[in-house]
Amino acid sequence: MPRNKKGKRGGNSSGKGSLRQEVLLLQLSKTAVSRAGRNGVRGESGVSDDDLASEVLSHYSSASESASVIEEATGEVVDEQTAQEETEDKLKQCIDNLMDKSAKTRLAALESLRLAFSSRVLYEFLLERRFTISDCLERSLKKGGGEEQAAAATVCALLCVQLGGGVEGEEGFKMLRPILSSILIDSCASLSARQSCARALGMCCYVSASEDAEDLLKSIGHLESVFVGAYPLGDGTLPSVKAGIPALHSAALQSWALLCTLCPASRINTILNHHMPRLHACLESSEVNFRIAVGETIALLYELGRDIDQEFEYEDCDALCDSLKNLATDGNKHRAKNDRRKQRSIFREVLHYIENEDFTEEKIQFGIEAIYIDGWMRHRIYDAFKEVLESGVRHHLQFNPLLRDIFGLGPPLILDASVKASRISRTEKHLFNSAAFKARTKLRNKVRDKRADVM
């Protein structure tokens, strides 16, 4: 998405000549180094892959800050078009490096793309290069080691978020879904790669296949096949698993829960009947993060059940509430203090929702806007994007049409000084966001009904 050029600022004219010369010299030296790195042969340019990775990030994260400093010092308009072209040149170099023979070079390129994709909206730049990037990611997933596979899967998810839910995103997902699923269910694959593929499969399917019943069902099935390994055995005891497996189970369960928000009512009823008793048993797991993922999933399934039937209630609700109360007041000293605090907080929320349909609202502020997390479904959707975009999630909430559509924010705002000065009240923002999200939920429910026959 192209950025608007900044207008010329006024400033004190004293000392401007020397400052301008210093700035020009600095820009010329940076340009010379950049060109030397691009024109030199790989390995002979004197610029390491790690330097290239950090340089791409620094161009994105500090572009606006450095621009404002230069403007204030010289009073001149910074040529943002040139800066944009230089940044795109570096990204092109990263894409080229994805095909390098060196695993270290490919990893550095994947890390650079991850940082760039998460920190900015690059739809126009990626549109004409999506097939090349998808091919490179597929190659890394098929032939790379565990670390490279994990990094490539994360970039797959970010690419889908960048391209959105249109035809372009669907094309990329259909190309990458088979290999993501294959690594996910491969017990011999790296645990970090499988965990990353679980999150990528859930995100890519949510963004790009929300109206494709076949891809949705396949993805749900693959994710289920992973986390059911934590379900109780025939004698009712929970299986013992090796280190690292609970984190994989958590990632698969959370992605599965995300995709459950897209399922039609008939499918939700089947899910509730089959999974609720088994998830209830998993609350006894010794792994705190997995227990928390299970508790949040139970609350989300309860919310989906109540959307279908306001009188919905789990058949063994009393026993479930007793389990939740124990976890909400857990004081075992053998658990870490932070783990106990986190667990008690979350399970209090889950218990209050199941008993009273009470959810503590959370406000997410970005720019002059905000969204309100006022339910478990909305909570899971926001957390899924936050896991992929990390610190860039607020930037994407401001400027990425996909996220703005999902959270009912409308087109990205273009504000002048007068609009920024007149802030909307908190109540007005809340009412607007709630109404927009309810409208989107109704629209999704219609899509669910259309898919019900296929399911």
Side-chain angles (χ1 to χ4, degrees):
M1 181 178 293
R3 293 177 290 177
N4 294 329
K5 292 186 178 180
K6 296 184 179 179
K8 183 180 290 186
R9 290 187 180 181
N12 194 336
S13 60
S14 62
K16 188 180 294 184
S18 59
L19 282 171
R20 184 183 293 110
Q21 289 175 354
E22 290 177 7
V23 170
L24 288 175
L25 286 172
L26 180 62
Q27 289 177 328
L28 286 171
S29 63
K30 285 185 176 180
T31 303
V33 171
S34 174
R35 288 176 178 171
R38 291 199 299 272
N39 296 333
V41 178
R42 195 176 289 118
E44 298 176 359
S45 64
V47 180
S48 69
D49 297 321
D50 294 335
D51 291 338
L52 180 61
S54 61
E55 194 173 356
V56 171
L57 174 62
S58 65
H59 263 262
Y60 274 109
S61 62
S62 63
S64 59
E65 296 177 8
S66 60
S68 62
V69 170
I70 294 171
E71 284 176 17
E72 289 174 0
T74 66
E76 297 292 333
V77 178
V78 175
D79 189 352
E80 291 194 11
Q81 185 63 36
T82 301
Q84 180 76 6
E85 289 173 358
E86 288 182 358
T87 302
E88 290 186 358
D89 285 344
K90 291 177 174 59
L91 286 174
K92 290 173 187 176
Q93 182 63 58
C94 290
I95 295 171
D96 289 341
N97 287 349
L98 291 177
M99 295 175 276
D100 196 90
K101 291 182 180 180
S102 167
K104 183 179 178 181
T105 301
R106 296 195 302 271
L107 273 171
L110 287 168
E111 177 64 8
S112 297
L113 293 178
R114 182 188 71 81
L115 294 169
F117 289 3
S118 62
S119 61
R120 287 290 182 271
V121 178
L122 300 165
Y123 176 79
E124 297 296 337
F125 174 81
L126 295 174
L127 190 59
E128 61 187 32
R129 298 172 179 85
R130 64 187 187 279
F131 293 118
T132 301
I133 298 174
S134 296
D135 284 339
C136 293
L137 293 175
E138 186 178 24
R139 188 180 298 109
S140 288
L141 288 167
K142 286 181 177 179
K143 299 182 179 180
E147 188 178 0
E148 184 176 346
Q149 287 177 323
T154 300
V155 176
C156 286
L158 288 166
L159 181 62
C160 277
V161 173
Q162 288 279 349
L163 294 177
V167 175
E168 298 84 4
E170 291 176 8
E171 290 172 345
F173 176 62
K174 287 187 179 295
M175 179 187 299
L176 296 169
R177 183 187 63 77
I179 184 62
L180 290 173
S181 301
S182 176
I183 296 172
L184 171 66
I185 63 178
D186 182 2
S187 60
C188 296
S190 158
L191 283 177
S192 62
R194 294 179 69 191
Q195 185 175 340
S196 187
C197 285
R199 297 199 186 283
L201 184 63
M203 176 55 67
C204 293
C205 187
Y206 181 81
V207 169
S208 305
S210 59
E211 297 184 15
D212 190 320
E214 183 179 356
D215 281 343
L216 180 61
L217 278 178
K218 286 180 179 178
S219 298
I220 286 176
H222 288 315
L223 291 164
E224 274 185 8
S225 70
V226 174
F227 70 77
V228 294
Y231 278 2
L233 303 173
D235 60 359
T237 61
L238 294 178
S240 58
V241 295
K242 64 180 183 180
I245 292 293
L248 171 62
H249 288 163
S250 297
L253 180 62
Q254 289 169 335
S255 289
W256 176 82
L258 176 67
L259 297 186
C260 283
T261 64
L262 301 176
C263 289
S266 59
R267 183 76 181 181
I268 294 297
N269 287 325
T270 302
I271 287 171
L272 289 169
N273 293 331
H274 179 74
H275 288 281
M276 281 293 285
R278 293 163 177 81
L279 288 171
H280 178 189
C282 287
L283 290 174
E284 300 298 324
S285 170
S286 60
E287 295 291 332
V288 62
N289 289 325
F290 181 63
R291 285 199 304 274
I292 289 172
V294 169
E296 291 179 337
T297 301
I298 288 173
L300 182 141
L301 292 179
Y302 239 91
E303 185 174 270
L304 291 173
R306 285 170 172 166
D307 281 348
I308 298 168
D309 178 7
Q310 290 184 349
E311 303 300 320
F312 167 77
E313 188 170 310
Y314 172 50
E315 59 183 11
D316 203 6
C317 186
D318 290 340
L320 174 62
C321 288
D322 288 340
S323 298
L324 294 173
K325 286 176 185 175
N326 291 334
L327 291 168
T329 57
D330 184 9
N332 288 334
K333 298 298 183 182
H334 68 274
R335 305 194 202 281
K337 187 175 181 180
N338 288 337
D339 287 346
R340 293 202 307 271
R341 185 184 296 114
K342 181 180 179 183
Q343 175 181 284
R344 288 197 295 263
S345 174
I346 290 175
F347 280 103
R348 281 197 298 268
E349 293 291 337
V350 174
L351 180 62
H352 290 164
Y353 178 75
I354 290 176
E355 288 185 331
N356 308 312
E357 296 188 44
D358 181 29
F359 183 91
T360 303
E361 183 182 272
E362 180 185 2
K363 178 183 177 181
I364 309 297
Q365 184 80 41
F366 50 97
I368 67 165
E369 300 175 277
I371 59 172
Y372 294 86
I373 309 301
D374 54 6
W376 289 102
M377 181 168 68
R378 199 168 170 91
H379 173 77
R380 175 86 291 272
I381 294 169
Y382 174 75
D383 275 2
F385 280 103
K386 186 178 178 181
E387 286 159 6
V388 171
L389 295 167
E390 297 181 344
S391 60
V393 66
R394 282 176 167 78
H395 177 86
H396 279 263
L397 282 169
Q398 280 185 282
F399 301 109
N400 189 322
L402 171 70
L403 270 72
R404 294 187 68 83
D405 176 46
I406 288 172
F407 290 100
L409 295 167
L413 299 181
I414 301 175
L415 303 177
D416 58 24
S418 62
V419 175
K420 289 180 181 178
S422 58
R423 292 184 176 268
I424 306 171
S425 71
R426 182 184 186 279
T427 304
E428 289 173 330
K429 289 180 189 176
H430 178 47
L431 292 174
F432 174 79
N433 284 329
S434 296
F437 190 70
K438 287 177 182 178
R440 178 177 172 80
T441 301
K442 289 180 181 179
L443 181 61
R444 280 190 175 274
N445 286 338
K446 290 180 182 178
V447 176
R448 284 179 183 173
D449 293 340
K450 290 178 183 177
R451 290 199 305 266
D453 295 335
V454 182
M455 293 286 193

